């Protein structure tokens, strides 16, 4: 996700002032949107009508986001014939894979939507772009930050992660890996090695159980439905769930729900076993489950493994609760290179 977006931005040569305005505006949009849930509806609607306070920041932020996404999409369209392989280029080429009808709509359900005939409009491309930026920036960053924090608070777990990485490095000596020296020096790992990191996968899952990147979420019922417990939900009803509270509920995770125990994710052979998505809705569940879940885990495992292999961390965080759970003023750490 991050690599696709970064590659696209660099190749498109987005002007610095557009990028800077987007970064600030995007953060304002997220923050003000979260604040809307903390005040009465009439209050933010009045501020919106008067164009003052947070609602003015939201309006200005949306304008900056619109300017950025429009520039990137138009630039991508101009470069469609340059063999680009990033995410946005792939969506732009969908009509070539799924022929369009005379009215310009697609003949196949390319996006998993139940309704057919969806065209790849600029609005849809904008939603895709922003979704991956949001997931690739704040969600992955949040997952990595809280994982590092918990590793600092639990030296035993940190040592177990380091032990797993040592085993992977040792295995290189008995493999046909050609660049052992370079990779060992850089502290990076291959895709196959990342897949072997069962304990680190458990650590990240446990970290996001107690500190989910998106602590709360909500949906609107598209039609009347009856929940498994018999509760009737009517069309248009807002239904919210709190992943932060669910991850700390004893009736879901047992007596030791407040303890950081990565081992709960491992079977007797030390192999990672995922929980059911409705029990662990960090990446949502059902038809709307996060499409980038596997990629997010690869990114987080690769980054955390590289950091833990090369450095020791000590930190003192302050939490910030919003659309994403982050840390105030970032993560302040003391970094010391490991001696071998």
């Amino acid at each position: 996700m991050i690599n696709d977006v970064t590659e696209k931005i660099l190749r498109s040569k987005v002007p610095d002032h557009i990028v800077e305005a987007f970064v600030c505006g995007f953060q304002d949009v997220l923050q003000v949107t979260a604040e809307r849930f903390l005040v009465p509806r009439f209050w933010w609607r009045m501020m919106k009508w008067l164009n003052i306070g947070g609602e003015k920041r939201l309006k200005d932020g949306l304008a900056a986001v619109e300017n950025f996404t429009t520039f990137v999409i138009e630039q991508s369209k101009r470069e469609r014939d340059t063999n680009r392989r990033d995410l946005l280029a792939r969506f732009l080429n969908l009509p070539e894979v799924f022929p369009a009808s005379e009215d310009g709509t697609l003949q196949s359900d390319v996006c998993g939507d139940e309704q057919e005939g969806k065209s790849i409009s600029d609005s849809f491309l904008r939603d895709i772009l922003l979704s991956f930026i949001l997931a690739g920036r704040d969600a992955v960053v949040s997952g990595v930050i809280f994982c590092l924090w918990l590793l600092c608070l639990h030296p035993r777990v940190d040592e177990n992660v380091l032990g797993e990485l040592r085993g992977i490095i040792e295995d290189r000596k008995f493999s046909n890996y050609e660049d052992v020296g370079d990779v060992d020096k850089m502290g990076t790992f291959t895709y196959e090695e990342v897949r072997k990191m069962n304990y680190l996968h458990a650590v990240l899952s446990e970290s996001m159980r107690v500190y989910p990147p998106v602590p709360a979420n909500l949906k609107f019922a598209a039609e009347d439905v009856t929940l498994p417990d018999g509760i009737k939900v009517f069309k248009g009803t807002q239904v919210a769930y709190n992943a932060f509270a669910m991850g700390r509920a004893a009736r879901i995770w047992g007596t030791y729900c407040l303890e950081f125990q990565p081992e709960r994710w491992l079977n007797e052979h030390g192999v990672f076993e995922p929980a059911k998505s409705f029990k662990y809705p960090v990446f949502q569940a059902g038809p709307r489950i996060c499409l980038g879940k596997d990629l997010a885990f690869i990114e987080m495992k690769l980054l955390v493994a590289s950091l833990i292999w090369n450095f020791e961390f000590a930190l003192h965080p302050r939490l910030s609760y919003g659309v994403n759970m982050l840390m105030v003023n970032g993560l302040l750490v003391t970094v010391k290179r490991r001696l071998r």
Side-chain angles (χ1 to χ4, degrees), residues 65-97:
V65 170
E66 176 84 10
N67 189 31
F68 171 82
T69 54
T70 299
F71 185 96
V72 170
I73 291 172
E74 291 301 320
Q75 187 74 4
S76 297
K77 289 180 178 179
R78 290 193 292 268
E79 297 177 356
R80 289 183 65 175
D81 298 328
T82 59
N83 295 321
R84 289 182 51 165
R85 299 177 60 86
D86 58 84
L87 179 71
L88 190 57
R90 293 178 184 274
F91 275 96
L92 282 171
N93 291 328
L94 277 178
E96 298 179 5
V97 180

Side-chain angles (χ1 to χ4, degrees), residues 236-255:
T237 302
Q238 175 181 305
V239 180
Y241 67 91
N242 192 308
F244 183 87
M246 291 175 64
R248 296 160 182 264
R251 65 185 179 85
I252 299 177
W253 292 97
T255 305

Side-chain angles (χ1 to χ4, degrees), residues 23-262:
V23 172
C24 296
F26 193 56
Q27 189 59 45
D28 283 341
V29 169
L30 295 178
Q31 186 63 40
V32 177
T33 300
E35 291 172 356
R36 280 185 171 185
F37 293 93
L38 304 178
V39 298
R41 181 176 299 182
F42 79 87
W43 181 255
W44 65 259
R45 283 186 171 180
M46 180 181 67
M47 296 182 69
K48 179 180 180 180
W49 182 69
L50 295 174
N51 194 32
I52 60 175
E55 292 301 315
K56 184 180 187 305
R57 288 169 48 214
L58 177 61
K59 180 180 179 180
D60 294 341
L62 288 172
V65 170
E66 176 84 10
N67 189 31
F68 171 82
T69 54
T70 299
F71 185 96
V72 170
I73 291 172
E74 291 301 320
Q75 187 74 4
S76 297
K77 289 180 178 179
R78 290 193 292 268
E79 297 177 356
R80 289 183 65 175
D81 298 328
T82 59
N83 295 321
R84 289 182 51 165
R85 299 177 60 86
D86 58 84
L87 179 71
L88 190 57
R90 293 178 184 274
F91 275 96
L92 282 171
N93 291 328
L94 277 178
E96 298 179 5
V97 180
F98 300 96
S101 61
E102 294 182 357
D103 60 359
T105 58
L106 297 181
Q107 295 296 311
S108 177
D109 185 7
V110 297
C111 300
D113 197 293
E114 295 180 357
Q115 298 179 354
E116 296 185 358
K118 294 286 187 180
S119 60
I120 306 298
S121 64
D122 285 357
S123 176
F124 180 57
L125 290 172
R126 186 176 298 109
D127 290 343
I128 293 171
L129 179 59
L130 293 178
S131 294
F132 272 84
I133 290 177
L134 178 61
R137 191 191 71 156
D138 289 343
V140 170
V141 169
S142 174
V144 170
I145 286 176
F146 281 99
C147 179
L148 291 176
W149 177 28
L150 289 168
L151 287 176
C152 290
L153 297 178
H154 300 82
R156 175 190 65 84
V157 177
D158 180 71
E159 186 58 35
N160 288 343
V161 172
L162 196 56
E164 182 176 61
L165 300 180
R166 290 194 188 103
I168 290 175
I169 296 298
E170 286 295 322
D171 288 343
R172 292 178 180 172
K173 298 178 181 179
F174 305 100
S175 67
N176 296 323
Y177 197 87
E178 297 179 356
D179 300 319
V180 172
D182 292 340
V183 176
D184 192 8
K185 182 178 179 180
M186 294 294 293
T188 57
F189 300 86
T190 66
Y191 172 70
E192 290 301 325
E193 289 173 336
V194 169
R195 292 185 60 187
K196 297 178 182 178
M197 298 176 185
N198 284 281
Y199 191 79
L200 180 54
H201 200 124
V203 169
L204 283 164
S205 297
E206 181 72 350
S207 172
M208 291 188 288
R209 177 183 71 83
V210 289
Y211 293 105
V214 181
N217 211 325
L218 59 86
K219 305 292 181 185
F220 289 89
E223 57 185 27
D224 295 345
V225 66
T226 301
L227 300 181
D229 60 357
I231 296 178
K232 295 185 181 298
V233 178
F234 299 101
K235 181 178 179 179
T237 302
Q238 175 181 305
V239 180
Y241 67 91
N242 192 308
F244 183 87
M246 291 175 64
R248 296 160 182 264
R251 65 185 179 85
I252 299 177
W253 292 97
T255 305
Y256 303 102
C257 59
L258 298 181
E259 296 186 11
F260 183 64
Q261 297 181 345

Side-chain angles (χ1 to χ4, degrees), residues 264-285:
R264 76 174 79 234
W265 297 86
L266 303 174
N267 62 20
E268 62 273 16
H269 304 294
V271 177
F272 176 82
E273 288 190 348
K276 294 181 179 180
S277 56
F278 287 98
K279 175 183 178 181
Y280 182 72
V282 170
F283 293 92
Q284 304 197 49

